[in-house]
Amino acid sequence: MQASRPVFRDDHEMLRAQVQRFVAQEILPFYAQWEDMGVTPRELWRKAGANGLLNCAIPAPWGHDGDFGHAAVVLETIARANCLGIGFSIHSDMVAPYILHLGTREQKDRWLPRMTSGEWIGAIAMTEPDAGSDLKAIRTRARREHDHYVLSGVKTFITNGANADIVIVLASTAPELGARGLSLFVVERGMAGFTSGAPLRKIGQHAQDTSELFFNDVQLPLENRLGAENAAFEHATAELAQERLAIALRAAASLEGMIDATADYVKQRKAFGRRIVDFQNARFKLADAIAQTTMLRVFLDDCLARHMRLELDPVTAAIAKLNATELQGRILDDLLQMFGGYGYMAEYGIGRAWTDARALRILGGTSEIMRDIIGKRI
Ligand SMILES: Cc1cc2nc3c(=O)[nH]c(=O)nc-3n(C[C@H](O)[C@H](O)[C@H](O)COP(=O)(O)OP(=O)(O)OC[C@H]3O[C@@H](n4cnc5c(N)ncnc54)[C@H](O)[C@@H]3O)c2cc1C
């Protein structure tokens, strides 16, 4: 890639080298095995915690006191290594910030340090079997009874769902108010009535335990409500820009890693007595991929810089997610083609990247929802 990246400082680059070592030693040698298992082992989370790779952007005393540049380095490095199934980003860049921004001092003390150490794994559960994009249609209910809430419902497609020790759950507390009657709760592993299903069988991101979660009259103390009652819609809106930026950054990094891998491949593979790279088609496809990804990178780094100044607005974050994930999908398809039959074989990274990437146009708000958000500005 040609773009310089002034958004990162020396301390970010030092962290990048550390994450690269971690990925090479602790993730890549085992990743195929985790894909077969359908889950990333809890031990990896503890190792990541011990190496300072979780909750980088959460302030002391709960996290590593970095900024979102540090968080970006972690998620980019993992994505660039073609390991999109590792669920650290949801844990560090989504679940922890909700607790940081909405939690009381007691809630932060209780949950964040154990997430930073990797002892506890976090998940966030909004989607239900009958409601994803349209979250006001959710059926999960939290009924207040004296000094506690009673939570009932089913969530699906939840990243880190099987491993999760704490789950932020979106529930309706005032069904008659629709989107304005939603609240957030933290459910902890071991609470009576809370169970998670086995990891769902997916077409990609096989190392990630994406699961259904079941809440059957779970009694939640009032202290497990996160933020104000009936204010989840506003709370979620405030957090979505970071989530979408994180997805966009992962998409771009994965794409850059695969452009490099494809350039290496076409320089080695031969057909008709020539290297594949000697066919103009391969060079032009790669040139287009590099040109478009370089433009994307400059825009995303501008979004990252804005976010580090707390100036990233939801529409710009939606533009970032839409551009990055759509471009990723289009270019990866071209790159896979250059591998011929090997592109379709599971042991080649390009096939994994292609199927893993498909989810990014769906989760965190679909491309259509991004277009809707951007279109409303017109
Ligand atoms: C791998 C993976 C991990 C996930 N992780 C999580 C997680 O950790 N937590 C969580 O809560 N959820 C998670 N999800 C769920 C994800 O956020 C939802 O799948 C997504 O929001 C879409 O919701 P849906 O599946 O119900 O699709 P639907 O909302 O039913 O959408 C179906 C189609 O209709 C389109 N559509 C819907 N509304 C509109 C509209 N207004 N205008 C135009 N088109 C529209 C959609 O774009 C889509 O193409 C995950 C999903 C995947 C695949």
Side-chain angles (χ1 to χ4, degrees):
M1 289 303 106
Q2 300 301 309
S4 62
R5 306 195 64 191
V7 65
F8 291 115
R9 303 181 302 262
D10 287 351
D11 55 314
H12 294 127
E13 295 308 336
M14 279 167 60
L15 177 65
R16 195 186 306 276
Q18 187 191 334
V19 187
Q20 283 166 345
R21 279 195 299 278
F22 184 86
V23 170
Q25 289 165 13
E26 304 292 351
I27 296 182
L28 288 177
F30 314 105
Y31 197 75
Q33 188 188 331
W34 301 338
E35 289 216 299
D36 289 343
M37 289 158 45
V39 61
T40 308
R42 298 179 67 81
E43 185 55 23
L44 177 74
W45 294 79
R46 292 202 195 89
K47 285 183 184 165
N51 279 272
L53 307 191
L54 302 176
N55 288 357
C56 292
I58 299 295
W62 306 290
H64 290 293
D65 214 20
D67 55 31
F68 198 72
H70 298 98
V73 163
V74 175
L75 63 88
E76 279 186 7
T77 309
I78 293 171
R80 201 185 159 95
N82 201 13
C83 300
L84 281 177
I86 301 289
F88 292 170
S89 186
I90 288 260
H91 171 99
S92 299
D93 308 324
M94 203 175 167
V95 179
Y98 265 98
I99 296 171
L100 177 72
H101 297 142
L102 301 177
T104 61
R105 173 83 206 201
E106 191 274 335
Q107 288 175 323
K108 292 178 210 180
D109 288 346
R110 193 160 125 215
W111 295 315
L112 287 176
R114 282 189 265 200
M115 289 181 69
T116 302
S117 69
E119 185 192 343
W120 278 9
I121 298 171
I124 184 152
M126 298 199 171
T127 308
E128 301 187 355
D130 292 322
S133 305
D134 182 13
L135 285 175
K136 70 177 180 314
I138 61 165
R139 293 187 190 164
T140 298
R141 297 276 178 269
R143 203 177 60 249
R144 185 154 176 176
E145 287 185 359
H146 313 295
D147 61 346
H148 63 272
Y149 289 90
V150 179
L151 180 77
S152 293
V154 178
K155 298 288 179 179
T156 194
F157 309 147
I158 308 307
T159 303
N160 302 336
N163 268 338
D165 300 285
I166 67 165
V167 187
I168 298 178
V169 180
L170 180 72
S172 173
T173 29
E176 69 285 1
L177 298 179
R180 304 282 160 197
L182 303 174
S183 306
L184 296 167
F185 297 90
V186 174
V187 177
E188 297 167 58
R189 178 187 284 271
M191 286 182 154
F194 166 45
T195 49
S196 56
L200 296 164
R201 292 185 63 220
K202 307 188 292 294
I203 61 167
Q205 301 206 6
H206 296 297
Q208 182 192 99
D209 53 311
T210 311
S211 306
E212 282 186 299
L213 302 181
F214 305 96
F215 306 95
N216 188 8
D217 287 342
V218 181
Q219 285 207 12
L220 289 172
L222 298 185
E223 306 88 82
N224 279 46
R225 195 187 69 223
L226 194 59
E229 195 174 73
N230 297 335
F233 190 76
E234 290 78 12
H235 295 328
T237 306
E239 299 298 327
L240 276 172
Q242 175 160 306
E243 182 192 4
R244 290 174 180 159
L245 175 63
I247 295 169
L249 291 169
R250 292 170 73 212
S254 141
L255 192 47
E256 287 167 346
M258 283 302 116
I259 290 173
D260 288 352
T262 309
D264 288 344
Y265 183 81
V266 295
K267 283 187 263 183
Q268 287 158 20
R269 178 81 177 168
K270 287 189 175 154
F272 298 95
R274 300 158 75 185
R275 299 178 306 165
I276 302 297
V277 72
D278 294 327
F279 295 106
Q280 191 187 54
N281 176 63
R283 285 201 309 282
F284 275 18
K285 288 277 189 222
L286 275 167
D288 278 344
I290 291 168
Q292 290 167 11
T293 308
T294 304
M295 295 280 281
L296 173 70
R297 171 55 71 201
V298 175
F299 173 62
L300 291 186
D301 279 0
D302 180 58
C303 291
L304 177 56
R306 285 196 222 186
H307 188 52
M308 287 161 72
R309 297 193 303 267
L310 306 179
E311 290 170 6
L312 183 67
D313 65 283
V315 176
T316 309
I319 293 172
K321 180 180 186 284
L322 179 67
N323 268 330
T325 59
E326 291 287 331
L327 189 70
Q328 180 193 25
R330 281 200 303 278
I331 293 181
L332 283 180
D333 200 63
D334 281 344
L335 298 182
L336 187 148
Q337 188 71 12
M338 281 184 250
F339 282 76
Y342 291 106
Y344 204 67
M345 297 299 122
E347 69 263 36
Y348 274 70
I350 187 69
R352 179 205 292 166
W354 185 69
T355 47
D356 285 3
R358 194 63 187 84
L360 302 193
R361 282 184 265 167
I362 298 169
L363 52 78
T366 64
S367 288
E368 291 70 38
I369 296 300
M370 296 307 104
R371 292 186 180 101
D372 209 37
I373 293 168
I374 300 161
K376 280 186 180 139
R377 183 191 262 182
I378 296 168

